[in-house]
């Protein structure tokens, strides 16, 4: 059965709707808060198409929805928004839009984007960032604390090793920042060498937080004793840095047992990862320069320490050289005095011996004369007895004189031995050597320069050498 003729075409109905909407909304604009979903961007036309929705704050269910688009000036304002906020205009972001209501007979009801408030989104992003920081502190009191405006984590409380040499590098395989980091380390002017192990992953996009966390854990599970872990990325859109405000990344960085250095190319505010890490730098190059500077500080400390050792060593050598010279002079003088004293004494003893011998001989000769007179009047046997007595006495005199002289020669020989022990000839036989430069005996090592020709005199050999190298000697070989 045909309906009555009281009907209209759809185009007529849509035209009436369009007229009513234009009458009520045609010249009006509205600032509207909502979330972006089903977003599509046509690069060739610079058009944005998306659904603008309002979600229930408790259940996240959609309670209002309308199609929206942006082109021309509206699309330009969205590009400016992305530059200012660092937030890509994409799904699941909450934004404040200036829109007009449009109804087209063929395309239906839509919102046309005229402008977008960057400050509103910046506020939302900062609120999210602050909420993440508060959550990190609240849920992880064992290794994250906030004192004033500063965050103290297990990682940034670690001390860097005195030299950073073995490095775990977390970056993208195609990252120009990684190449900058490597080039800066390799071309350092001090000749430092580094061992860098690559851990490639995706370092941009909020949805890739789990990949970055897994790569950090992979460094830990490697059990390699790295001196530092470096997380870097090169340049890119500001939106790429939102990954580093992720809660899971901040937590694993704060708890990591090896110092983490960041150089993620963020020239504005610090990311949460920067705040949780041990050392935050602005760029990959700055991260490499920090490591080089850290190692340079250690080298300068060692050079200063070496200089102090040289100065102290020179002072010690000078002090003991003076003492040795003084002792040598004392030994020589005392030896000379002992020799002079005993020489005079030996002459005296020799003179006494001669005089005593003469006196004894004289006395015995007198006795012999008396006895000879007596013998002439006594029997021959008495004469023989007396002659024997005289012989015994004479032998005793010779024996006494020989033994006495022998003892004195032995005493003198003892001191001669002491003198010989101190002579250069015997000292050379013990393994010591005399060093000459230009035929002059040298005892100060500072007078010998690299390239000098020196004479080394041993016990029975003279060696002529050219000095190629000088090193400090600790003298422990002569410790008793």
């Amino acid at each position: 059965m045909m309906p009555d003729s009281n009907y209209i075409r759809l185009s007529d109905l849509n035209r009436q709707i369009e007229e009513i909407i234009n009458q009520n909304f045609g010249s009006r604009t509205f600032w509207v808060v909502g979330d972006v979903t089903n977003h599509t961007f046509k690069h060739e036309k610079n058009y944005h198409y998306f659904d603008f929705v309002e979600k229930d704050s408790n259940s996240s269910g959609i309670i209002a929805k309308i199609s929206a688009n942006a082109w021309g000036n509206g699309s330009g304002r969205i590009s400016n928004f992305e530059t200012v906020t660092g937030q890509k205009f994409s799904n699941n972001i909450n934004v404040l839009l200036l829109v007009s209501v449009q109804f087209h007979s063929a395309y239906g009801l839509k919102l046309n984007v005229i402008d977008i408030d960057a400050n509103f989104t910046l506020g939302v992003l900062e609120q999210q960032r602050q909420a993440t920081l508060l959550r990190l502190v609240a849920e992880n009191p064992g290794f994250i604390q906030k004192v004033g405006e500063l965050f103290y984590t297990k990682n940034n409380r670690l001390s860097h090793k005195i030299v950073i040499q073995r490095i775990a590098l977390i970056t993208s395989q195609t990252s120009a920042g990684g190449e900058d980091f490597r080039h800066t380390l390799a071309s350092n002017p001090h000749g430092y060498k580094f061992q860098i192990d690559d851990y490639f992953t995706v370092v941009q996009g909020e949805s890739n937080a789990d990949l970055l966390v897994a790569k950090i854990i992979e460094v830990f599970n490697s059990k390699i004793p790295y001196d530092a872990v470096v997380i870097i990325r090169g340049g890119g859109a500001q939106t790429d840095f939102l990954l580093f405000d992720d809660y899971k990344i901040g937590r694993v960085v704060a708890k990591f047992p090896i110092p983490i250095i960041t150089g993620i190319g963020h020239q504005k505010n610090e990311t949460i990862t920067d705040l949780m890490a041990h050392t935050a730098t602005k760029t990959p190059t700055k991260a490499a320069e920090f490591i080089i500077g850290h190692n340079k500080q250690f080298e300068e400390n060692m050079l200063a320490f070496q200089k102090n050792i040289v100065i102290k060593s020179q002072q010690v050598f000078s002090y003991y050289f003076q003492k040795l010279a003084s002792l040598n002079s004392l030994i020589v003088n005392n030896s000379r005095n002992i020799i002079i004293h005993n020489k005079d004494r030996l002459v005296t003893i020799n003179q006494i011996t001669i005089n005593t011998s003469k006196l004894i001989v004289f006395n015995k000769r007198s006795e012999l004369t008396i006895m000879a007179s007596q013998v002439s009047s006594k029997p021959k046997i008495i004469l023989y007895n007396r002659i024997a007595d005289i012989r015994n006495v004479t032998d005793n005199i010779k024996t006494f004189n020989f033994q006495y002289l022998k003892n004195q020669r032995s005493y003198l020989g003892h001191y001669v031995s002491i003198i010989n022990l101190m002579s250069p000839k015997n000292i050379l036989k013990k393994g010591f050597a005399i060093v000459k430069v230009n035929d002059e005996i040298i005892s100060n090592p500072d007078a010998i320069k690299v390239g000098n020709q020196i004479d080394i005199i041993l016990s029975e050999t003279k060696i002529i050498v050219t000095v190629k190298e000088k090193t400090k000697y600790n003298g422990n070989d002569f410790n008793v």
Side-chain angles (χ1 to χ4, degrees):
M1 176 178 179
M2 291 289 294
D4 58 31
S5 59
N6 190 21
Y7 64 88
I8 62 174
R9 299 170 63 85
L10 176 60
S11 59
D12 293 333
L13 177 60
N14 282 354
R15 189 176 301 107
Q16 293 181 33
I17 295 173
E18 183 177 5
E19 290 175 356
I20 294 173
I21 290 177
N22 288 337
Q23 289 174 5
N24 290 275
F25 297 98
S27 60
R28 300 175 62 188
T29 58
F30 303 87
W31 282 103
V32 185
V33 174
D35 293 342
V36 177
T37 64
N38 297 324
H39 174 262
T40 301
F41 178 58
K42 301 294 185 179
H43 290 274
E44 64 279 5
K45 295 182 178 181
N46 199 26
Y47 284 0
H48 292 266
Y49 300 95
F50 59 95
D51 288 337
F52 202 41
V53 301
E54 180 182 351
K55 296 180 180 179
D56 189 289
S57 59
N58 296 320
S59 64
S60 296
I62 297 176
I63 59 176
K65 178 180 178 181
I66 190 171
S67 296
N69 52 43
W71 57 78
N73 185 63
S75 182
R77 297 300 298 167
I78 288 178
S79 296
N80 181 69
F81 162 85
E82 292 180 334
T83 301
V84 172
T85 63
Q87 170 66 60
K88 191 175 184 63
F89 189 85
S90 60
N91 293 327
N92 301 317
I93 64 169
N94 188 253
V95 291
L96 176 60
L97 299 177
L98 178 64
V99 299
S100 62
V101 180
Q102 294 181 341
F103 182 85
H104 190 277
S105 178
Y107 302 112
L109 184 66
K110 287 184 179 294
L111 297 182
N112 180 40
V113 176
I114 300 172
D115 199 358
I116 181 169
D117 190 342
N119 292 327
F120 174 83
T121 300
L122 286 173
V124 172
L125 291 174
E126 182 60 25
Q127 288 175 5
Q128 293 173 350
R129 182 173 179 273
Q130 292 301 322
T132 301
L133 287 171
L134 291 175
R135 181 185 171 194
L136 283 167
V137 173
E139 296 182 2
N140 306 282
F143 53 90
I144 304 176
Q145 297 87 36
K146 184 180 182 183
V147 179
E149 296 301 318
L150 300 178
F151 291 89
Y152 294 92
T153 68
K154 177 181 178 181
N155 192 263
N156 64 30
R157 284 193 176 100
L158 297 173
S159 297
H160 277 303
K161 291 186 178 180
I162 55 176
V163 173
I164 300 175
Q165 197 165 27
R166 190 163 193 177
I167 301 168
L169 177 61
I170 300 177
T171 186
S172 169
Q173 190 167 8
T174 59
S175 171
E179 292 302 318
D180 292 342
F181 177 80
R182 284 180 171 277
H183 175 74
T184 303
L185 288 184
S187 61
N188 75 87
H190 313 294
Y192 301 149
K193 303 298 182 184
F194 299 92
Q195 179 178 338
I196 304 173
D197 294 339
D198 291 313
Y199 290 82
F200 293 126
T201 186
V202 180
V203 289
Q204 62 185 31
E206 296 174 82
S207 61
N208 294 314
D210 289 336
L211 295 177
L212 181 53
V213 170
K215 193 58 64 172
I216 296 173
I217 295 174
E218 181 181 334
V219 174
F220 176 79
N221 290 336
S222 72
K223 305 300 181 184
I224 298 174
Y226 290 110
D227 301 326
V229 176
V230 179
I231 302 175
I232 62 174
R233 52 157 287 116
Q238 292 292 322
T239 54
D240 296 337
F241 299 111
L242 295 177
L243 168 69
F244 297 98
D245 283 332
D246 186 83
Y247 172 85
K248 290 173 288 188
I249 296 175
R251 185 178 187 277
V252 74
V253 167
K255 193 177 182 180
F256 205 69
I258 301 173
I260 293 179
I261 301 170
T262 62
I264 58 178
H266 200 301
Q267 295 291 348
K268 295 182 179 180
N269 298 326
E270 288 182 307
T271 66
I272 290 177
T273 301
D274 291 325
L275 295 173
M276 298 296 108
H278 186 283
T279 304
T281 63
K282 292 298 184 183
T283 64
T285 300
K286 291 294 184 182
E289 290 173 350
F290 168 81
I291 294 173
I292 294 169
H294 175 82
N295 291 357
K296 178 62 176 174
Q297 183 62 50
F298 169 75
E299 181 183 16
E300 290 176 350
N301 291 341
M302 288 299 98
L303 291 175
F305 185 60
Q306 180 189 44
K307 184 177 180 180
N308 289 335
I309 290 176
V310 171
I311 293 173
K312 294 294 182 182
S313 299
Q314 290 174 342
Q315 293 173 346
V316 171
F317 288 151
S318 176
Y319 171 74
Y320 282 103
F321 180 78
Q322 292 175 1
K323 289 194 68 174
L324 183 60
S326 176
L327 181 61
N328 180 66
S329 177
L330 181 63
I331 291 173
V332 171
N333 292 334
N334 287 344
S335 299
R336 185 183 297 112
N337 292 337
I338 292 172
I339 292 171
I340 293 173
H341 173 73
N342 285 283
K343 182 178 180 182
D344 294 341
R345 187 179 178 190
L346 182 61
V347 170
T348 301
I349 292 173
N350 184 61
Q351 189 63 44
I352 292 173
T353 302
I354 294 173
N355 293 336
T356 302
S357 299
K358 287 181 179 180
L359 181 60
I360 293 172
V361 171
F362 178 77
N363 290 336
K364 293 301 180 181
R365 185 179 294 169
S366 299
E367 292 177 2
L368 184 60
T369 301
I370 295 171
M371 291 178 67
S373 299
Q374 294 176 351
V375 167
S376 62
S377 60
K378 292 182 180 181
K380 192 174 183 179
I381 189 169
I382 294 175
L383 179 60
Y384 289 154
N385 290 335
R386 293 302 180 187
I387 291 172
D389 290 341
I390 291 171
R391 287 175 178 171
N392 289 334
V393 171
T394 302
D395 290 340
N396 288 337
I397 291 172
K398 290 180 179 179
T399 301
F400 173 78
N401 187 45
F402 175 77
Q403 188 65 39
Y404 184 80
L405 291 176
K406 181 180 179 181
N407 291 340
Q408 293 304 317
R409 287 191 187 98
S410 176
Y411 187 63
L412 182 60
H414 170 69
Y415 288 103
V416 171
S417 297
I418 292 175
I419 293 169
N420 288 335
L421 286 173
M422 299 304 299
S423 71
K425 183 176 181 181
N426 282 328
I427 290 175
L428 291 177
K429 287 180 179 180
K430 293 178 180 179
F432 294 92
I434 295 174
V435 179
K436 285 186 175 183
V437 176
N438 298 326
D439 292 329
E440 292 186 4
I441 296 176
I442 298 298
S443 59
N444 183 4
D446 292 337
I448 300 174
K449 308 298 182 180
V450 174
N452 283 359
Q453 179 173 296
I454 64 173
D455 299 336
I456 301 175
I457 301 174
L458 304 176
S459 174
E460 296 179 354
T461 305
K462 178 179 179 182
I463 302 173
I464 300 175
V465 301
T466 300
V467 177
K468 292 185 177 180
E469 182 181 357
K470 284 177 64 178
T471 57
K472 293 301 178 181
Y473 175 59
N474 57 22
N476 290 339
D477 291 349
F478 299 103
N479 292 339
V480 179

